Amino acid sequence: MDVEWGYSGERGPENWASLCDWFAKGAEFSLQSPIPLVTCQEVSDVKETISFHYQCQKFTDKEFKNTIHLVPFDQISYVEYQGEKFYLTDIHFHLPSEHIINGKHEDIEFHFVHTNHRQENLVVGVMYELRSEDGWFYDRNHEERWDLAAHEHWMNPDVFFPEKKSHYHYVGSLTTPPTAGPIQWFVMDQVGQLNQEFLTPFEGQYAQPNNRPLQALNDRKIDYFEGSNT
């Protein structure tokens, strides 16, 4: 089903649920995303969390659903949660960030979408501050090769992540239509620095805000995990 939607006007977020029955059904899920997050001094007593198993692989960039997506050619990078593998299927970004930490929006938030064999999604969010003179850009290590003209890129997705993967975990929804849930969400609490030139090739797509407004917490549980430096 291809239903046009956007981030303003009659097809903006406040009207998504009215655009079609599919979107309306997704909006019925009560634990919607994104949500505000607050720095927590208490580490969750839940021992099991997410583990990352990313490797250098080939991606292409595509324009659809109101942003740029980096799509892997093969599903070989994955995260493991509760003994199950969720393979990386998509990377895209929102400007400004959709989640906020301690009341602050960041300049950009990358979403890493993963899918298991039952087609259930798990999403990891990483936020960045855009900088004009410094911050990570292409070729942070020797494994990266970005060919923007050919739309082919070799990289390890781990380059987007902070060294210490401290994060929040909660149950939410997709942040784009049909906003269905439940989705396992993991949001890194460390904000990186990204050179704004990273986005120059995608300027036609990132010029307009594409972040869904914050949603109600609805008394949901939010866990915090202190990451290691490995």
Side-chain angles (χ1 to χ4, degrees):
M1 180 182 296
D2 187 11
V3 178
E4 184 180 350
W5 55 272
Y7 287 94
S8 62
E10 295 181 354
R11 296 188 178 273
E14 65 277 10
N15 297 317
W16 285 348
S18 65
L19 297 179
C20 68
D21 292 342
W22 184 37
F23 293 179
K25 182 66 176 178
E28 291 176 1
F29 182 69
S30 62
L31 303 179
Q32 292 286 300
S33 296
I35 60 173
L37 301 165
V38 178
T39 299
C40 179
Q41 300 300 320
E42 295 184 6
V43 177
S44 174
D45 57 5
V46 178
K47 299 303 181 185
E48 186 174 37
T49 184
I50 192 173
S51 61
F52 292 82
H53 305 271
Y54 288 164
Q55 57 184 287
C56 189
Q57 63 180 109
K58 186 178 180 181
F59 290 79
T60 187
D61 56 86
K62 298 181 178 180
E63 301 177 12
F64 63 96
K65 293 186 177 180
N66 298 286
T67 190
I68 295 291
H69 295 253
L70 296 171
V71 182
F73 278 73
D74 303 294
Q75 293 185 15
I76 56 177
S77 292
Y78 66 93
V79 297
E80 190 167 358
Y81 176 64
Q82 294 185 339
E84 187 166 10
K85 293 180 179 178
F86 292 76
Y87 287 88
L88 180 65
T89 56
D90 176 81
I91 304 171
H92 62 272
F93 53 79
H94 297 269
L95 294 100
S97 67
E98 295 199 304
H99 293 88
I100 65 172
I101 297 178
N102 298 329
K104 185 177 184 296
H105 277 287
E106 298 300 337
D107 294 327
I108 186 170
E109 178 176 348
F110 287 86
H111 288 168
F112 296 74
V113 182
H114 305 75
T115 308
N116 64 10
H117 70 281
R118 295 186 299 276
Q119 299 304 302
E120 297 168 333
N121 291 134
L122 177 157
V123 185
V124 182
V126 183
M127 301 187 204
Y128 277 89
E129 175 188 357
L130 292 175
R131 304 294 295 269
S132 59
E133 297 180 354
D134 53 12
W136 171 57
F137 193 46
Y138 304 127
D139 301 321
R140 193 169 79 175
N141 61 44
H142 297 301
E143 290 185 306
E144 290 183 65
R145 298 196 305 275
W146 292 73
D147 189 336
L148 295 166
H151 304 283
E152 292 184 358
H153 321 295
W154 283 89
M155 67 170 179
N156 186 327
D158 197 61
V159 300
F160 284 92
F161 285 77
E163 182 178 0
K164 188 175 183 181
K165 294 184 175 66
S166 300
H167 61 271
Y168 304 90
H169 169 235
Y170 75 94
V171 175
S173 72
L174 299 174
T175 65
T176 57
T179 67
I183 302 292
Q184 299 293 337
W185 270 97
F186 299 82
V187 180
M188 299 294 118
D189 76 334
Q190 293 190 49
V191 178
Q193 294 183 347
L194 178 66
N195 191 304
Q196 63 188 17
E197 291 185 16
F198 179 94
L199 298 173
T200 300
F202 314 128
E203 189 165 358
Q205 292 294 315
Y206 85 84
Q208 300 297 322
N210 65 341
N211 63 319
R212 187 189 191 192
L214 293 171
Q215 304 296 301
L217 287 173
N218 289 337
D219 298 319
R220 78 186 83 186
K221 185 173 185 284
I222 303 173
D223 289 315
Y224 177 77
F225 295 89
E226 186 76 37
S228 65
N229 288 317
T230 58

